[in-house]
Amino acid sequence: MEEEQPMLKRTDKVQYLKGVGEKRAAQLSKLGIVTVEDLLRSYPRDYIDYSNPCGVLEAPYETPCVVRATVFSRQAPVRVRGGRTIYRVNAGDDSAGLTLTFFNSPYAAQKLEPDREYLFYGRIGGGFGRREMTAPTFIPADASHPLTAVYHQTQGINSAYLSRLVKEALEALPAEAFDDPLEEPLRRRWRLPALADALRGIHQPSSLEEAKRTRRRFAFEELYCLELGMKLLRSRSSRSTGAPMTHCDPAPFYASLPFPPTGAQRRAVEEMRRDFCGASPMNRLLQGDVGSGKTLVAAAGMAMAAQNGYQSVLMAPTEILARQHAQTLDRLLGPLGLQVALLTGSVKGKARRTLLEMVANGEAQVVVGTHAVLGDAVNFAHLGFAVVDEQHRFGVRQRGLLAGKAENPHLLVMSATPIPRTLSLLLFGELDVSILDELPPGRTPVRTIAVGSALRGRMYGFLEKQIAAGHQVFVVCPLIEQEEGNDSSELQAVTAYRETIAAKLLPGRRIGLLHGRMKPEQKEEVMRALAAGEIDLLCSTTVVEVGVDVPNASVMVIENAERYGLSALHQLRGRVGRGAAESFCILVSDNDSESVRERLTFLCHTSDGFAVAQYDLDHRGPGDFFGKRQHGLPTLRVADAATDARMIETAAAEAADLLHRDPELAAPEHAALRLAVERLFDAAGGTAVN
Ligand code: ADP
Ligand code: MG
């Protein structure tokens, strides 16, 4: 008698599937696959279409293609240096022979049976008359499915294995396991297949057409969930404010400034003032190009909060930036008698205790810091206003944590990454937006030029002249992102550059070094020396990207400029051009692919951050744009923000409609949908629904 199998559930761990032991489970979890649901939601990244194979002789060299060939025999394995073993298989058709090569993989070679015909997918290599394919993927020529899904792989987990697991999961799941987050009427309206069909269709399509159709459903689901999550976040603003203010007047602050605020700054402050005096907490995004003076707007808010007896906090992404903000705010708010405290990870021991004490008893009216300000030990006496600088460096979650430091404080997030209007609604749907579209007076646009490294000698001649005229120079080398990567070969890049290039080409000049792996004290010393004019040229990684303000710097050189998106280059460029002197940005790149040339040329002719962002969006993958690092939002797996703009609108309208009927998404029939929304935001390390 057959044993009764308990029914598989979507929430079950993948270990319930055949062939998944502890080791496999650990490897799968590296791909983010823990449950059966995770597995099914790991959509293929591509498909191999075996339906139009070509003969061996006509197959093109060095281009991915499918070849139909019969296996003749297996060669004896050959051991080569490095402990590797090569397995070769002889195959071919009437037109020519084909050698198939597999490294360290007896399994693949053994699966190929002599005298059987297969379809091989790979690149043809080899020399005259000799054709070979290394590590091809293949299926029997008489296979019923001419399409094979290709999955993201990790060590030990290959695409074929994932295909098998998915197949098993789909077969083992009972019909009721496919609780569809998208309701029937909605699916009918937009002609989207039901979940069970769609999962089959995306993992095992019978045609590319079908794959495309089902992909559309998942793209919709993703955007719908994103919209719902953002709108639920926004519902925070329907709560009443925890920091009601009655008396808000920026005039005393303005009067204490050494220069008049720009019109744009005044407008933003006025918008903030109205929010402060309103009944619900402010949720505002302040967008302004680098150098547009966002700090001053934040400071005005802090001054107004203090008028009402509230503390303010500003969170910056790096230690350097936090220090700089603390100094600036001290300069701006000190004259009004406000006490500014700096809290970073490197403030320790007694100093830290004293500081926390001042935060807790309200003596420190303005607290500036890194994410250290989120720490459990940090308790505010009466926090009323929270500011997040360079918000794309933080996630939705950290933003929420900061706002959680008090009962519904007013929140201002500042961003120097302009967002094209088509997207800002989706990305920042939960925020009101203020825009600083005016630079402080006296700025001249930075002259930008692109050069190849053949011109390095001349470029250094130019740098020498600039330094001789009393200016300072930044050189940015591509390197690890500060505080994350651990690729020490890249770390060499900036260090070596300083010694082998900069020091040689600028003998006798004072050359500084700055990168994310230096100790905070070291970094601070370098920044101090730079600001004091004791460094002529600073070789650095992109740690200077965010916010560092050195008015005397007149040239920004960016090595390997092809490695950055235009928005990132634009940010770096914004580090110069802050003083009165004419400033320059030199993009060095030896990459002459047309797209790179075009991109860099575009930047040379454009100083408008919004246009730059739009170009990025149009020309790079939306993955880059939507990446967590850009916006701190969930990464979309299927949807494509650039091409799915219409779908975004539809999803937004449907989401609004649904929340109108069920504001908290609490109805039992929306349980699956609510879970899907949580999944999307959890994967980003953020929680939208609380
Ligand atoms: P960002 O928007 O990039 O954060 P900052 O707040 O760092 O810009 O300001 C850039 C520079 O402009 C600072 O040196 C600041 O003192 C100066 N600044 C800001 N507002 C004005 C103004 N209204 N008039 C003159 N200079 C200003
Ligand atoms: Mg700034």
Side-chain angles (χ1 to χ4, degrees), residues 259-262 265 288-296 324-325 328 331 389-390 416 436 440-441 443 547 549 551 575 578:
F259 42 68
T262 63
Q265 284 170 328
D289 229 328
V290 272
S292 58
K294 294 184 287 292
T295 318
L296 186 144
Q324 187 176 294
H325 273 310
T328 308
R331 215 171 50 232
D389 191 23
E390 308 293 345
L436 294 186
R443 302 275 172 81
D549 189 17
R575 300 303 121 220
R578 300 190 156 218

Side-chain angles (χ1 to χ4, degrees), residues 318-319 322-323 342-348 352 355 368-370 372-373 520:
T318 66
E319 180 115 12
R323 274 170 207 282
L342 173 67
L343 183 65
T344 65
S346 58
V347 182
K348 295 216 166 73
R352 188 178 193 82
L355 213 116
V368 180
T370 53
V373 299

Side-chain angles (χ1 to χ4, degrees), residues 671-684:
L673 179 56
R674 197 185 160 92
L675 269 175
V677 174
E678 275 165 11
R679 271 181 68 82
L680 182 70
F681 280 78
D682 273 351

